[in-house]
Amino acid sequence: MFGSDDPNFGKPANQYLIALKASYLALLSKRADGSDQQIWDELKRIFAKYPDDVVIADDEAAWNDAYRCERLLVNVYDPMRLDVELDRRILEAQNSQLDFASFYVGRQQKPADKGELTGEQQAANRSLLARLIEDQQWHDARLYLKCGYAHTAQVRVSWAFFIALLIFGSTMFMVFQTRSYVVWAAEATGDAKTQQGGTSDK
């Protein structure tokens, strides 16, 4: 009702960053020569902000960093990992019945006769995965905003109900107190008149 702190605040973002970091370290161990050093440096910089046991204070900033890492990793995936990630993401979008899932079905480049993908095919798949991740992140961001709005509305309604109840209780208290006072005053006035009448008769 009063918007108390969530005990699980920051944990999902932290777990997601840990998973991304594991992918980063695995790719780093077999990093190919000639890959973009700037991307690796940026990934290293972001992951250094989030040790595995860190307590995340800013959930929104952590998710923004996670989304940035997710996009950067697309550029350093090896062909096998790229193919697996694209398959997984498309299937995830279909199972979640996302409105953009149908766009990606059948667009993934596959090698002919179980051979290897050409450089052009890999580039096409990398672009496709990058766009799919962008769409999924935008979908998640909208859900996050909706949850935030719903929580804010819930807190406001709870406070409005509490204030209305307080006003109602105060009003009823004042009404009954006033009524009791009027009754008491009338009885006191009646007793006084009775006493005065009795005195006059004597």
Side-chain angles (χ1 to χ4, degrees):
M1 176 177 176
F2 300 103
S4 58
D5 292 337
D6 183 355
N8 294 317
F9 179 83
K11 289 184 179 180
N14 189 37
Q15 291 299 316
Y16 199 62
L17 282 162
I18 290 173
L20 290 173
K21 187 190 295 186
S23 297
Y24 158 75
L25 293 174
L27 291 166
L28 185 63
S29 65
K30 52 183 180 180
R31 173 184 172 185
D33 294 335
S35 56
D36 195 331
Q37 181 62 41
Q38 187 176 359
I39 293 176
W40 292 106
D41 290 344
E42 180 63 8
L43 286 167
K44 181 179 180 181
R45 182 192 69 81
I46 295 174
F47 286 130
K49 296 163 57 178
Y50 302 98
D52 293 350
D53 58 347
V54 70
V55 177
I56 292 178
D58 190 340
D59 188 64
E60 184 175 355
W63 276 112
N64 287 338
D65 281 337
Y67 285 161
R68 180 168 175 77
C69 289
E70 198 172 36
R71 293 189 185 190
L72 289 171
L73 284 170
V74 175
N75 299 287
V76 296
Y77 282 148
D78 57 70
M80 182 178 295
R81 181 62 182 269
L82 178 64
D83 190 56
V84 169
E85 277 296 314
L86 196 48
D87 281 337
R88 183 183 70 82
R89 292 274 185 172
I90 292 174
L91 182 60
E92 180 182 349
Q94 287 180 293
N95 290 341
S96 299
Q97 297 181 344
L98 302 181
D99 53 6
F100 53 80
S102 59
F103 172 81
Y104 295 94
V105 176
R107 292 181 180 272
Q108 183 177 359
Q109 298 291 318
K110 293 292 185 180
D113 300 327
K114 298 182 180 181
E116 294 184 357
L117 290 173
T118 64
E120 186 176 341
Q121 288 176 318
Q122 289 183 30
N125 280 348
R126 210 175 293 276
S127 297
L128 191 67
L129 177 59
R131 181 62 194 182
L132 176 54
I133 288 175
E134 183 179 339
D135 285 342
Q136 289 178 323
Q137 288 181 354
W138 174 236
H139 172 76
D140 292 343
R142 285 185 296 175
L143 287 181
Y144 183 85
L145 286 174
K146 288 180 181 178
C147 289
Y149 292 148
H151 177 71
T152 301
Q154 183 181 18
V155 171
R156 289 178 177 176
V157 169
S158 298
W159 272 109
F161 174 77
F162 177 76
I163 292 172
L165 186 63
L166 184 63
I167 293 173
F168 174 78
S170 300
T171 303
M172 295 305 295
F173 176 79
M174 293 175 64
V175 168
F176 282 109
Q177 283 292 100
T178 302
R179 182 178 178 184
S180 298
Y181 174 77
V182 170
V183 171
W184 173 81
E187 291 176 349
T189 302
D191 291 342
K193 289 181 177 179
T194 301
Q195 291 177 0
Q196 290 177 358
T199 304
S200 299
D201 291 341
K202 291 181 180 179

Coordinates of all heavy atoms in Angstrom, one line a residue, residues 136-180:
Q136 N 13.1 -7.0 -29.2 CA 12.8 -7.6 -27.9 C 13.1 -6.7 -26.7 O 12.3 -6.6 -25.7 CB 13.6 -8.9 -27.7 CG 13.2 -10.0 -28.6 CD 14.0 -11.3 -28.5 OE1 15.2 -11.2 -28.3 NE2 13.4 -12.4 -28.6
Q137 N 14.1 -5.9 -26.8 CA 14.4 -4.9 -25.7 C 13.4 -3.8 -25.6 O 13.0 -3.4 -24.6 CB 15.8 -4.3 -25.9 CG 16.9 -5.3 -25.7 CD 18.3 -4.6 -25.9 OE1 18.4 -3.5 -26.3 NE2 19.4 -5.4 -25.6
W138 N 12.9 -3.4 -26.8 CA 11.8 -2.4 -26.8 C 10.6 -2.9 -26.2 O 9.8 -2.2 -25.5 CB 11.6 -1.9 -28.2 CG 10.5 -0.9 -28.4 CD1 9.4 -1.1 -29.2 CD2 10.3 0.3 -27.7 NE1 8.5 0.0 -29.1 CE2 9.1 0.9 -28.2 CE3 11.0 1.0 -26.7 CZ2 8.6 2.1 -27.7 CZ3 10.5 2.2 -26.3 CH2 9.3 2.8 -26.8
H139 N 10.3 -4.2 -26.5 CA 9.1 -4.9 -26.0 C 9.2 -4.9 -24.4 O 8.3 -4.6 -23.7 CB 9.0 -6.3 -26.6 CG 7.9 -7.1 -25.9 ND1 6.6 -6.9 -26.2 CD2 8.0 -8.1 -25.0 CE1 5.9 -7.8 -25.4 NE2 6.7 -8.5 -24.7
D140 N 10.4 -5.3 -23.9 CA 10.6 -5.4 -22.5 C 10.5 -4.1 -21.8 O 10.0 -3.9 -20.7 CB 12.0 -6.1 -22.2 CG 12.1 -7.5 -22.6 OD1 11.0 -8.1 -22.8 OD2 13.2 -8.0 -22.8
A141 N 11.0 -3.0 -22.5 CA 11.0 -1.7 -22.0 C 9.6 -1.2 -21.8 O 9.2 -0.6 -20.8 CB 11.8 -0.7 -22.9
R142 N 8.7 -1.5 -22.8 CA 7.3 -1.1 -22.7 C 6.6 -1.8 -21.5 O 5.8 -1.2 -20.8 CB 6.6 -1.4 -24.0 CG 6.9 -0.4 -25.1 CD 6.1 -0.6 -26.3 NE 6.4 -1.9 -26.9 CZ 5.8 -2.4 -28.0 NH1 4.8 -1.8 -28.5 NH2 6.2 -3.6 -28.5
L143 N 6.9 -3.1 -21.4 CA 6.3 -3.9 -20.2 C 6.8 -3.3 -18.9 O 6.0 -3.2 -17.9 CB 6.8 -5.3 -20.3 CG 6.1 -6.2 -21.4 CD1 6.6 -7.6 -21.3 CD2 4.6 -6.2 -21.2
Y144 N 8.1 -2.9 -18.8 CA 8.6 -2.3 -17.6 C 7.9 -1.0 -17.3 O 7.5 -0.7 -16.1 CB 10.1 -2.1 -17.8 CG 10.8 -1.5 -16.6 CD1 11.3 -2.4 -15.6 CD2 11.0 -0.1 -16.4 CE1 11.9 -1.9 -14.5 CE2 11.7 0.4 -15.3 CZ 12.1 -0.5 -14.3 OH 12.8 0.0 -13.2
L145 N 7.7 -0.2 -18.3 CA 6.9 1.1 -18.1 C 5.5 0.8 -17.6 O 5.0 1.5 -16.7 CB 6.9 1.9 -19.4 CG 8.3 2.6 -19.8 CD1 8.1 3.2 -21.2 CD2 8.7 3.6 -18.8
K146 N 4.8 -0.2 -18.3 CA 3.5 -0.5 -17.9 C 3.4 -0.9 -16.4 O 2.5 -0.5 -15.7 CB 2.9 -1.5 -18.8 CG 2.6 -1.1 -20.2 CD 2.0 -2.2 -21.0 CE 1.7 -1.7 -22.5 NZ 1.2 -2.8 -23.3
C147 N 4.4 -1.8 -16.0 CA 4.4 -2.2 -14.6 C 4.6 -1.0 -13.7 O 4.0 -1.0 -12.6 CB 5.5 -3.3 -14.4 SG 5.2 -4.8 -15.2
G148 N 5.5 -0.1 -14.1 CA 5.8 1.1 -13.3 C 4.6 1.9 -13.1 O 4.2 2.4 -12.0
Y149 N 3.8 2.1 -14.2 CA 2.6 2.9 -14.2 C 1.6 2.3 -13.3 O 0.8 2.9 -12.5 CB 2.1 3.2 -15.6 CG 2.9 4.0 -16.5 CD1 3.0 3.8 -17.8 CD2 3.7 5.1 -15.9 CE1 3.8 4.6 -18.7 CE2 4.5 5.9 -16.7 CZ 4.5 5.7 -18.1 OH 5.3 6.4 -18.9
A150 N 1.4 0.9 -13.4 CA 0.4 0.2 -12.6 C 0.8 0.3 -11.2 O -0.1 0.5 -10.3 CB 0.4 -1.3 -13.1
H151 N 2.1 0.2 -10.8 CA 2.4 0.3 -9.4 C 2.2 1.7 -8.9 O 1.6 1.8 -7.7 CB 3.9 0.0 -9.3 CG 4.4 0.1 -7.9 ND1 4.1 -0.8 -6.9 CD2 5.3 1.0 -7.3 CE1 4.7 -0.4 -5.7 NE2 5.4 0.7 -6.0
T152 N 2.5 2.7 -9.6 CA 2.2 4.1 -9.2 C 0.7 4.3 -9.0 O 0.3 4.9 -8.0 CB 2.8 5.1 -10.3 OG1 4.2 4.9 -10.4 CG2 2.5 6.5 -9.8
A153 N -0.1 3.8 -9.9 CA -1.5 4.0 -9.8 C -2.1 3.2 -8.6 O -2.9 3.7 -7.9 CB -2.2 3.4 -11.1
Q154 N -1.5 2.0 -8.3 CA -1.9 1.3 -7.1 C -1.6 2.0 -5.8 O -2.5 2.1 -4.9 CB -1.2 -0.1 -7.1 CG -1.7 -1.0 -6.0 CD -0.9 -2.3 -6.0 OE1 0.1 -2.4 -6.7 NE2 -1.4 -3.3 -5.3
V155 N -0.4 2.6 -5.8 CA 0.0 3.4 -4.6 C -0.9 4.6 -4.4 O -1.4 4.9 -3.3 CB 1.4 3.8 -4.7 CG1 1.8 4.7 -3.5 CG2 2.3 2.6 -4.6
R156 N -1.2 5.3 -5.5 CA -2.1 6.5 -5.4 C -3.5 6.1 -5.0 O -4.1 6.9 -4.2 CB -2.1 7.2 -6.8 CG -0.7 7.9 -7.1 CD -0.8 8.6 -8.5 NE 0.5 9.2 -8.7 CZ 0.8 9.9 -9.9 NH1 -0.1 9.9 -10.9 NH2 1.9 10.5 -10.0
V157 N -4.0 5.1 -5.6 CA -5.4 4.6 -5.2 C -5.4 4.2 -3.7 O -6.4 4.6 -3.0 CB -5.9 3.5 -6.1 CG1 -7.1 2.9 -5.5 CG2 -6.1 4.0 -7.5
S158 N -4.4 3.6 -3.2 CA -4.3 3.1 -1.8 C -4.3 4.4 -0.9 O -5.0 4.4 0.1 CB -3.1 2.3 -1.6 OG -3.2 1.1 -2.4
W159 N -3.5 5.3 -1.3 CA -3.4 6.6 -0.5 C -4.7 7.3 -0.5 O -5.2 7.9 0.5 CB -2.3 7.4 -1.0 CG -1.0 7.1 -0.4 CD1 0.1 6.6 -0.9 CD2 -0.6 7.4 1.0 NE1 1.2 6.4 -0.1 CE2 0.8 6.9 1.2 CE3 -1.2 7.9 2.1 CZ2 1.4 7.0 2.4 CZ3 -0.5 8.0 3.3 CH2 0.8 7.6 3.4
A160 N -5.4 7.4 -1.7 CA -6.6 8.1 -1.8 C -7.7 7.4 -0.9 O -8.5 8.1 -0.2 CB -7.1 8.1 -3.3
F161 N -7.7 6.1 -0.9 CA -8.7 5.3 -0.1 C -8.4 5.6 1.4 O -9.3 5.8 2.2 CB -8.6 3.8 -0.4 CG -9.4 3.0 0.5 CD1 -10.8 2.9 0.3 CD2 -8.8 2.3 1.6 CE1 -11.5 2.1 1.2 CE2 -9.6 1.5 2.4 CZ -10.9 1.4 2.2
F162 N -7.1 5.6 1.8 CA -6.7 5.8 3.2 C -7.2 7.2 3.6 O -7.7 7.4 4.7 CB -5.2 5.6 3.3 CG -4.7 5.9 4.7 CD1 -4.9 5.0 5.7 CD2 -4.1 7.1 5.0 CE1 -4.5 5.2 7.0 CE2 -3.6 7.3 6.3 CZ -3.8 6.4 7.3
I163 N -6.9 8.2 2.8 CA -7.3 9.6 3.1 C -8.8 9.8 3.2 O -9.3 10.4 4.1 CB -6.7 10.6 2.1 CG1 -5.1 10.6 2.2 CG2 -7.2 12.0 2.3 CD1 -4.4 11.3 1.1
A164 N -9.5 9.1 2.2 CA -11.0 9.2 2.2 C -11.5 8.6 3.5 O -12.5 9.1 4.1 CB -11.5 8.5 1.0
L165 N -11.0 7.4 3.9 CA -11.4 6.7 5.1 C -11.1 7.6 6.3 O -12.0 7.6 7.2 CB -10.7 5.4 5.2 CG -11.1 4.5 6.3 CD1 -12.6 4.0 6.2 CD2 -10.2 3.2 6.4
L166 N -10.0 8.3 6.3 CA -9.6 9.1 7.5 C -10.6 10.3 7.6 O -11.1 10.6 8.6 CB -8.2 9.6 7.3 CG -7.6 10.5 8.4 CD1 -7.6 9.7 9.7 CD2 -6.3 11.0 8.1
I167 N -10.9 10.9 6.4 CA -11.9 12.0 6.4 C -13.3 11.6 6.8 O -13.9 12.3 7.6 CB -11.9 12.6 5.0 CG1 -10.6 13.3 4.6 CG2 -13.1 13.6 4.9 CD1 -10.5 13.8 3.2
F168 N -13.7 10.4 6.3 CA -15.0 9.9 6.7 C -15.0 9.6 8.2 O -16.0 10.0 8.9 CB -15.3 8.6 6.0 CG -16.5 7.9 6.4 CD1 -17.8 8.3 5.9 CD2 -16.5 6.7 7.2 CE1 -18.9 7.7 6.3 CE2 -17.6 6.1 7.6 CZ -18.9 6.6 7.2
G169 N -14.0 9.0 8.8 CA -14.0 8.7 10.2 C -14.0 10.0 11.0 O -14.7 10.1 12.0
S170 N -13.2 11.0 10.6 CA -13.2 12.2 11.3 C -14.5 12.9 11.3 O -15.0 13.5 12.3 CB -12.1 13.2 10.7 OG -10.8 12.6 10.7
T171 N -15.2 12.9 10.1 CA -16.5 13.5 9.9 C -17.5 12.9 10.8 O -18.3 13.5 11.5 CB -16.9 13.5 8.5 OG1 -16.0 14.1 7.6 CG2 -18.3 14.1 8.3
M172 N -17.5 11.5 10.8 CA -18.5 10.8 11.7 C -18.2 11.1 13.1 O -19.2 11.2 13.9 CB -18.4 9.3 11.4 CG -18.8 8.9 10.0 SD -20.5 9.5 9.5 CE -21.5 8.6 10.7
F173 N -17.0 11.2 13.5 CA -16.6 11.4 14.9 C -17.1 12.8 15.3 O -17.7 13.0 16.4 CB -15.1 11.4 15.1 CG -14.6 11.7 16.5 CD1 -14.7 10.8 17.5 CD2 -14.1 13.0 16.7 CE1 -14.3 11.2 18.8 CE2 -13.7 13.3 18.0 CZ -13.8 12.4 19.0
M174 N -16.9 13.8 14.4 CA -17.4 15.2 14.7 C -18.9 15.2 14.8 O -19.5 15.9 15.7 CB -16.9 16.1 13.7 CG -15.3 16.3 13.7 SD -14.8 17.3 12.3 CE -15.6 18.9 12.8
V175 N -19.6 14.5 13.9 CA -21.1 14.5 13.9 C -21.6 13.9 15.2 O -22.5 14.5 15.8 CB -21.6 13.8 12.6 CG1 -23.1 13.5 12.8 CG2 -21.3 14.5 11.4
F176 N -21.1 12.8 15.6 CA -21.6 12.1 16.8 C -21.2 12.9 18.0 O -22.0 13.0 19.0 CB -21.1 10.7 16.8 CG -21.8 9.7 16.0 CD1 -21.2 9.2 14.8 CD2 -23.2 9.4 16.2 CE1 -21.9 8.3 14.0 CE2 -23.9 8.5 15.4 CZ -23.3 8.0 14.3
Q177 N -20.0 13.5 18.0 CA -19.6 14.3 19.1 C -20.5 15.5 19.3 O -21.0 15.9 20.4 CB -18.2 14.8 19.0 CG -17.2 13.7 19.3 CD -17.2 13.3 20.8 OE1 -17.8 12.3 21.2 NE2 -16.6 14.1 21.6
T178 N -20.8 16.2 18.1 CA -21.7 17.3 18.1 C -23.1 16.9 18.6 O -23.8 17.7 19.4 CB -21.8 18.0 16.7 OG1 -20.5 18.3 16.3 CG2 -22.7 19.2 16.7
R179 N -23.6 15.8 18.1 CA -25.0 15.3 18.5 C -25.0 15.0 20.0 O -26.0 15.4 20.6 CB -25.3 14.1 17.7 CG -26.7 13.5 17.9 CD -27.0 12.3 17.1 NE -28.3 11.8 17.4 CZ -28.8 10.7 16.8 NH1 -28.1 10.0 15.9 NH2 -30.0 10.3 17.2
S180 N -24.0 14.4 20.5 CA -23.9 14.1 21.9 C -23.9 15.4 22.7 O -24.6 15.5 23.8 CB -22.7 13.3 22.2 OG -22.7 12.0 21.5

